[in-house]
Amino acid sequence: MTVTISAAINSDRLWQRHMDMAEIGATQAGGVHRLALTDEDIEAHKLLMQWASTRGFSVELDAIGNMFIRRQGRDPSLAPVASGSHTDTQPKGGRFDGIFGVLAAFEALEAIDDAGIKTERPIEVIAWNNEEGPRFVPACMGSAAYAGVEPLDAMLASQDPDGISMGECVEALKAAMPEAGVRRLGAPLHSFVEAHIEQGVELEANGNTIGIVTGMQGYRRFRVTVTGEDAHSGTTPRSRRRDSFVAATDMAVALRALLWDNEDIVRFTIGRFEVFPCGISVVPGRVEFTIDLRHPVAETLHTLGDRISDICAAHAGPCEVKVREFINSDPMAFPDSMVSQIETAANRRGFAHQRIYSAASHDARHISTLCPAGMIFIPCWRGISHNEAERAEPEDIAAAAQIIADLFVELGNA
Ligand code: HGY
Ligand code: MN
Ligand code: MN
């Protein structure tokens, strides 16, 4: 009879690592503010490196700042089995979005190590750089560059609002982790599984612990710049104004008229709206705003997204308008092989589970173009995320880590 040693997750250790990480960039209201490759995010990478070194796991960084923590296999030449997510957060984000997927994978690696289980393949934990994208665009930059979906040079040249380039930040990360090795960008992966909080209400409503993700909806992101003319608010009559705020708000209302569907399936968000020069008695000469548009049907996403420029132009009035699209990712489906393998692992462990579609976007989208990929969701309280009040439960976190540990062993010997 073959006794399969199973790697037992240490739930307390895993929860404590979440609390340790939540200290880095902690906000007054109990959230985390840790934008990509800021000092705080580099500190989070260094803490991961410290934990990895204690276990004798090796660490590498690639040219776009992705981090790879490796437990060697019997045959180091084989492509690794990997799991992970991101360490960066939204501005005033939560304590679980992203970091949970990194820490669950790390705990799975430790559990395998504690059990003394050998795998044929190397096993890796990956922290993808700049998944969220509020500091540098586009989002999912690290995984997109790794998968060759975005060109490395353009990504390194991306600048934050202060004019600091991603390239400078990657150099700062490398300088902070001199003992890290070099990973070739795009080196093969055997398979990849990402654990993430659902950021929706379905699992919680159904009382399920585990969501086996079948795919994710598509999304397009735009930056709209409306240019008018700064003017005196007292002496300038409407007839002589080129008021960019008036034009931009007209555009927003017109976009809503197009994009608010009756079925409430389209996701249309203006998350950033900046008025310049932002003076009480100055007619604004410039407005910049962003559009985040999502839909599960590619054709609908294309049709609606392609209307945005015309609608903005039609409502520009006396102003100029420039619409720049910086993300355009179609809906995607994970391979049945991975969905079934994750489902079988959840079944074997007896976790309450269901298949689920992701309304949020994740790094696994891009890695799925490189190798068989899949995702595991756990519930988060009232579906709240991108919010300091974000919350997940230790037992759900441990359940996901347990499935990853089981998959690491299965896929690591496949
Ligand atoms: O925006 C997203 O879908 C992801 O949570 N960053
Ligand atoms: Mn995330
Ligand atoms: Mn997020």
Side-chain angles (χ1 to χ4, degrees), residues 348-384:
R348 192 168 47 222
R349 287 286 176 182
F351 297 134
H353 62 278
Q354 67 173 83
R355 291 191 176 202
I356 192 169
Y357 190 73
S358 179
S361 192
H362 302 283
D363 290 305
R365 159 194 302 284
H366 294 311
I367 306 310
S368 193
T369 64
L370 275 186
C371 66
M375 287 192 76
I376 299 169
F377 275 173
I378 62 168
C380 56
W381 177 63
R382 289 176 45 205
I384 291 173

Side-chain angles (χ1 to χ4, degrees), residues 191-267:
S191 47
F192 177 74
V193 178
E194 178 170 5
H196 206 284
I197 52 173
E198 179 197 340
Q199 300 173 306
V201 295
E202 202 176 328
L203 291 177
E204 186 180 59
N206 296 340
N208 284 324
T209 302
I210 295 294
I212 297 109
V213 184
T214 54
M216 58 184 99
Q217 69 177 342
Y219 72 139
R220 298 177 72 170
R221 286 188 183 165
F222 306 80
R223 182 192 298 280
V224 182
T225 305
V226 184
T227 310
E229 183 181 36
D230 292 356
H232 192 297
S233 62
T235 59
T236 317
R238 254 197 347 266
S239 58
R240 281 202 295 111
R241 289 185 180 200
R242 295 178 58 224
D243 187 331
S244 59
F245 177 79
V246 168
T249 47
D250 284 351
M251 291 173 198
V253 171
L255 288 167
R256 212 162 53 220
L258 169 76
L259 300 171
W260 274 16
D261 58 334
N262 298 328
E263 306 75 22
D264 194 3
I265 292 176
V266 176
R267 297 284 182 271

